[in-house]
mmCIF file of all heavy atoms in Angstrom:
data_model
loop_
_atom_site.group_PDB
_atom_site.id
_atom_site.type_symbol
_atom_site.label_atom_id
_atom_site.label_comp_id
_atom_site.label_asym_id
_atom_site.label_seq_id
_atom_site.Cartn_x
_atom_site.Cartn_y
_atom_site.Cartn_z
ATOM 1 N N ASP X 159 80.195 119.578 -7.182
ATOM 2 C CA ASP X 159 79.392 118.392 -6.873
ATOM 3 C C ASP X 159 77.980 118.547 -7.423
ATOM 4 O O ASP X 159 77.395 117.585 -7.941
ATOM 5 C CB ASP X 159 79.329 118.168 -5.358
ATOM 6 C CG ASP X 159 80.704 117.944 -4.732
ATOM 7 O OD1 ASP X 159 81.626 117.552 -5.470
ATOM 8 O OD2 ASP X 159 80.833 118.159 -3.515
ATOM 9 N N ILE X 160 77.424 119.746 -7.321
ATOM 10 C CA ILE X 160 76.061 119.988 -7.814
ATOM 11 C C ILE X 160 76.006 119.836 -9.326
ATOM 12 O O ILE X 160 75.026 119.314 -9.888
ATOM 13 C CB ILE X 160 75.584 121.391 -7.389
ATOM 14 C CG1 ILE X 160 75.484 121.475 -5.862
ATOM 15 C CG2 ILE X 160 74.234 121.720 -8.019
ATOM 16 C CD1 ILE X 160 74.636 120.394 -5.231
ATOM 17 N N ILE X 161 77.041 120.282 -10.009
ATOM 18 C CA ILE X 161 77.098 120.097 -11.465
ATOM 19 C C ILE X 161 77.144 118.612 -11.798
ATOM 20 O O ILE X 161 76.478 118.150 -12.736
ATOM 21 C CB ILE X 161 78.314 120.846 -12.046
ATOM 22 C CG1 ILE X 161 78.114 122.362 -11.900
ATOM 23 C CG2 ILE X 161 78.529 120.467 -13.515
ATOM 24 C CD1 ILE X 161 79.319 123.185 -12.296
ATOM 25 N N ASP X 162 77.900 117.843 -11.020
ATOM 26 C CA ASP X 162 77.947 116.390 -11.226
ATOM 27 C C ASP X 162 76.574 115.767 -10.998
ATOM 28 O O ASP X 162 76.168 114.846 -11.716
ATOM 29 C CB ASP X 162 78.973 115.757 -10.289
ATOM 30 C CG ASP X 162 80.408 116.097 -10.659
ATOM 31 O OD1 ASP X 162 80.646 116.489 -11.830
ATOM 32 O OD2 ASP X 162 81.298 115.977 -9.790
ATOM 33 N N TRP X 163 75.861 116.266 -10.005
ATOM 34 C CA TRP X 163 74.512 115.743 -9.750
ATOM 35 C C TRP X 163 73.569 116.080 -10.904
ATOM 36 O O TRP X 163 72.716 115.263 -11.284
ATOM 37 C CB TRP X 163 73.955 116.305 -8.441
ATOM 38 C CG TRP X 163 74.435 115.595 -7.213
ATOM 39 C CD1 TRP X 163 75.133 116.132 -6.166
ATOM 40 C CD2 TRP X 163 74.227 114.218 -6.876
ATOM 41 N NE1 TRP X 163 75.394 115.187 -5.209
ATOM 42 C CE2 TRP X 163 74.829 113.994 -5.615
ATOM 43 C CE3 TRP X 163 73.596 113.153 -7.507
ATOM 44 C CZ2 TRP X 163 74.820 112.747 -4.983
ATOM 45 C CZ3 TRP X 163 73.592 111.908 -6.878
ATOM 46 C CH2 TRP X 163 74.176 111.718 -5.643
ATOM 47 N N ALA X 164 73.718 117.262 -11.481
ATOM 48 C CA ALA X 164 72.888 117.629 -12.636
ATOM 49 C C ALA X 164 73.160 116.691 -13.809
ATOM 50 O O ALA X 164 72.229 116.289 -14.529
ATOM 51 C CB ALA X 164 73.154 119.082 -13.033
ATOM 52 N N ASP X 165 74.418 116.343 -13.996
ATOM 53 C CA ASP X 165 74.754 115.378 -15.055
ATOM 54 C C ASP X 165 74.130 114.020 -14.770
ATOM 55 O O ASP X 165 73.677 113.321 -15.683
ATOM 56 C CB ASP X 165 76.276 115.244 -15.177
ATOM 57 C CG ASP X 165 76.939 116.469 -15.792
ATOM 58 O OD1 ASP X 165 76.252 117.200 -16.539
ATOM 59 O OD2 ASP X 165 78.137 116.685 -15.531
ATOM 60 N N GLU X 166 74.083 113.645 -13.498
ATOM 61 C CA GLU X 166 73.478 112.363 -13.122
ATOM 62 C C GLU X 166 71.971 112.372 -13.407
ATOM 63 O O GLU X 166 71.413 111.364 -13.856
ATOM 64 C CB GLU X 166 73.731 112.083 -11.639
ATOM 65 C CG GLU X 166 73.235 110.734 -11.153
ATOM 66 C CD GLU X 166 73.989 109.556 -11.743
ATOM 67 O OE1 GLU X 166 75.092 109.777 -12.296
ATOM 68 O OE2 GLU X 166 73.487 108.412 -11.642
ATOM 69 N N VAL X 167 71.326 113.503 -13.156
ATOM 70 C CA VAL X 167 69.897 113.616 -13.455
ATOM 71 C C VAL X 167 69.641 113.410 -14.942
ATOM 72 O O VAL X 167 68.678 112.738 -15.337
ATOM 73 C CB VAL X 167 69.355 114.985 -13.001
ATOM 74 C CG1 VAL X 167 67.955 115.238 -13.582
ATOM 75 C CG2 VAL X 167 69.298 115.057 -11.475
ATOM 76 N N SER X 168 70.506 113.962 -15.765
ATOM 77 C CA SER X 168 70.351 113.788 -17.215
ATOM 78 C C SER X 168 70.433 112.323 -17.611
ATOM 79 O O SER X 168 69.763 111.877 -18.544
ATOM 80 C CB SER X 168 71.417 114.597 -17.960
ATOM 81 O OG SER X 168 71.235 115.983 -17.751
ATOM 82 N N LYS X 169 71.264 111.552 -16.904
ATOM 83 C CA LYS X 169 71.345 110.118 -17.170
ATOM 84 C C LYS X 169 70.035 109.420 -16.814
ATOM 85 O O LYS X 169 69.649 108.428 -17.441
ATOM 86 C CB LYS X 169 72.489 109.492 -16.385
ATOM 87 C CG LYS X 169 73.871 109.989 -16.785
ATOM 88 C CD LYS X 169 74.941 109.371 -15.892
ATOM 89 C CE LYS X 169 76.328 109.939 -16.211
ATOM 90 N NZ LYS X 169 77.360 109.380 -15.288
ATOM 91 N N LEU X 170 69.351 109.944 -15.810
ATOM 92 C CA LEU X 170 68.117 109.325 -15.345
ATOM 93 C C LEU X 170 66.902 109.751 -16.156
ATOM 94 O O LEU X 170 65.963 108.962 -16.337
ATOM 95 C CB LEU X 170 67.882 109.680 -13.868
ATOM 96 C CG LEU X 170 68.898 109.133 -12.867
ATOM 97 C CD1 LEU X 170 68.716 109.804 -11.508
ATOM 98 C CD2 LEU X 170 68.756 107.630 -12.729
ATOM 99 N N THR X 171 66.897 110.985 -16.647
ATOM 100 C CA THR X 171 65.692 111.520 -17.303
ATOM 101 C C THR X 171 65.902 111.861 -18.771
ATOM 102 O O THR X 171 64.938 112.128 -19.483
ATOM 103 C CB THR X 171 65.203 112.787 -16.572
ATOM 104 O OG1 THR X 171 66.210 113.802 -16.667
ATOM 105 C CG2 THR X 171 64.914 112.498 -15.109
ATOM 106 N N GLY X 172 67.153 111.890 -19.214
ATOM 107 C CA GLY X 172 67.435 112.237 -20.603
ATOM 108 C C GLY X 172 68.045 113.605 -20.745
ATOM 109 O O GLY X 172 67.935 114.466 -19.858
ATOM 110 N N ASP X 173 68.698 113.827 -21.864
ATOM 111 C CA ASP X 173 69.371 115.106 -22.108
ATOM 112 C C ASP X 173 68.401 116.259 -22.326
ATOM 113 O O ASP X 173 68.817 117.421 -22.340
ATOM 114 C CB ASP X 173 70.294 114.988 -23.329
ATOM 115 C CG ASP X 173 71.479 114.068 -23.072
ATOM 116 O OD1 ASP X 173 71.844 113.919 -21.888
ATOM 117 O OD2 ASP X 173 72.012 113.502 -24.038
ATOM 118 N N ASP X 174 67.115 115.947 -22.512
ATOM 119 C CA ASP X 174 66.115 116.996 -22.701
ATOM 120 C C ASP X 174 65.409 117.334 -21.387
ATOM 121 O O ASP X 174 64.343 117.950 -21.387
ATOM 122 C CB ASP X 174 65.080 116.583 -23.745
ATOM 123 C CG ASP X 174 64.389 115.270 -23.402
ATOM 124 O OD1 ASP X 174 64.904 114.530 -22.542
ATOM 125 O OD2 ASP X 174 63.339 114.993 -24.006
ATOM 126 N N SER X 175 66.012 116.968 -20.277
ATOM 127 C CA SER X 175 65.415 117.264 -18.980
ATOM 128 C C SER X 175 65.603 118.732 -18.618
ATOM 129 O O SER X 175 66.439 119.431 -19.187
ATOM 130 C CB SER X 175 66.037 116.372 -17.895
ATOM 131 O OG SER X 175 67.433 116.580 -17.822
ATOM 132 N N SER X 176 64.807 119.194 -17.659
ATOM 133 C CA SER X 176 64.880 120.573 -17.166
ATOM 134 C C SER X 176 65.083 120.528 -15.660
ATOM 135 O O SER X 176 64.320 119.878 -14.936
ATOM 136 C CB SER X 176 63.597 121.334 -17.494
ATOM 137 O OG SER X 176 63.406 121.423 -18.894
ATOM 138 N N ILE X 177 66.105 121.247 -15.175
ATOM 139 C CA ILE X 177 66.506 121.163 -13.777
ATOM 140 C C ILE X 177 66.514 122.542 -13.134
ATOM 141 O O ILE X 177 67.003 123.505 -13.735
ATOM 142 C CB ILE X 177 67.911 120.539 -13.649
ATOM 143 C CG1 ILE X 177 67.937 119.123 -14.237
ATOM 144 C CG2 ILE X 177 68.373 120.514 -12.194
ATOM 145 C CD1 ILE X 177 69.342 118.550 -14.374
ATOM 146 N N VAL X 178 65.980 122.626 -11.912
ATOM 147 C CA VAL X 178 66.146 123.816 -11.076
ATOM 148 C C VAL X 178 66.992 123.417 -9.882
ATOM 149 O O VAL X 178 66.797 122.359 -9.281
ATOM 150 C CB VAL X 178 64.789 124.402 -10.620
ATOM 151 C CG1 VAL X 178 63.901 123.357 -9.961
ATOM 152 C CG2 VAL X 178 65.009 125.593 -9.679
ATOM 153 N N LEU X 179 67.964 124.247 -9.550
ATOM 154 C CA LEU X 179 68.772 124.069 -8.352
ATOM 155 C C LEU X 179 68.176 124.924 -7.249
ATOM 156 O O LEU X 179 68.008 126.140 -7.428
ATOM 157 C CB LEU X 179 70.226 124.488 -8.601
ATOM 158 C CG LEU X 179 70.920 123.913 -9.842
ATOM 159 C CD1 LEU X 179 72.345 124.470 -9.946
ATOM 160 C CD2 LEU X 179 70.943 122.392 -9.801
ATOM 161 N N HIS X 180 67.860 124.323 -6.116
ATOM 162 C CA HIS X 180 67.220 125.065 -5.022
ATOM 163 C C HIS X 180 67.963 124.769 -3.730
ATOM 164 O O HIS X 180 67.978 123.640 -3.253
ATOM 165 C CB HIS X 180 65.752 124.646 -4.900
ATOM 166 C CG HIS X 180 64.948 125.517 -3.975
ATOM 167 N ND1 HIS X 180 63.609 125.788 -4.180
ATOM 168 C CD2 HIS X 180 65.271 126.178 -2.832
ATOM 169 C CE1 HIS X 180 63.154 126.567 -3.217
ATOM 170 N NE2 HIS X 180 64.146 126.815 -2.380
ATOM 171 N N GLY X 181 68.612 125.797 -3.173
ATOM 172 C CA GLY X 181 69.384 125.614 -1.956
ATOM 173 C C GLY X 181 69.007 126.611 -0.889
ATOM 174 O O GLY X 181 68.534 127.714 -1.185
ATOM 175 N N ILE X 182 69.231 126.227 0.374
ATOM 176 C CA ILE X 182 68.915 127.102 1.498
ATOM 177 C C ILE X 182 70.136 127.259 2.391
ATOM 178 O O ILE X 182 70.869 126.292 2.634
ATOM 179 C CB ILE X 182 67.697 126.556 2.287
ATOM 180 C CG1 ILE X 182 67.197 127.570 3.313
ATOM 181 C CG2 ILE X 182 68.014 125.225 2.950
ATOM 182 C CD1 ILE X 182 65.827 127.247 3.870
ATOM 183 N N SER X 183 70.401 128.484 2.839
ATOM 184 C CA SER X 183 71.525 128.819 3.709
ATOM 185 C C SER X 183 72.845 128.434 3.025
ATOM 186 O O SER X 183 73.138 128.951 1.946
ATOM 187 C CB SER X 183 71.356 128.148 5.070
ATOM 188 O OG SER X 183 72.232 128.713 6.014
ATOM 189 N N MET X 184 73.637 127.519 3.582
ATOM 190 C CA MET X 184 74.847 127.100 2.894
ATOM 191 C C MET X 184 74.512 126.504 1.532
ATOM 192 O O MET X 184 75.274 126.655 0.574
ATOM 193 C CB MET X 184 75.627 126.078 3.737
ATOM 194 C CG MET X 184 76.990 125.711 3.161
ATOM 195 S SD MET X 184 77.838 124.390 4.065
ATOM 196 C CE MET X 184 76.989 122.949 3.380
ATOM 197 N N GLY X 185 73.364 125.825 1.446
ATOM 198 C CA GLY X 185 72.915 125.307 0.152
ATOM 199 C C GLY X 185 72.604 126.417 -0.827
ATOM 200 O O GLY X 185 72.826 126.271 -2.036
#
Side-chain angles (χ1 to χ4, degrees):
D159 299 338
I160 296 306
I161 293 173
D162 290 340
W163 279 120
D165 288 335
E166 184 67 16
V167 167
S168 295
K169 296 177 184 177
L170 295 168
T171 63
D173 292 335
D174 56 344
S175 59
S176 298
I177 300 170
V178 53
L179 310 178
H180 190 147
I182 190 166
S183 195
M184 187 186 80

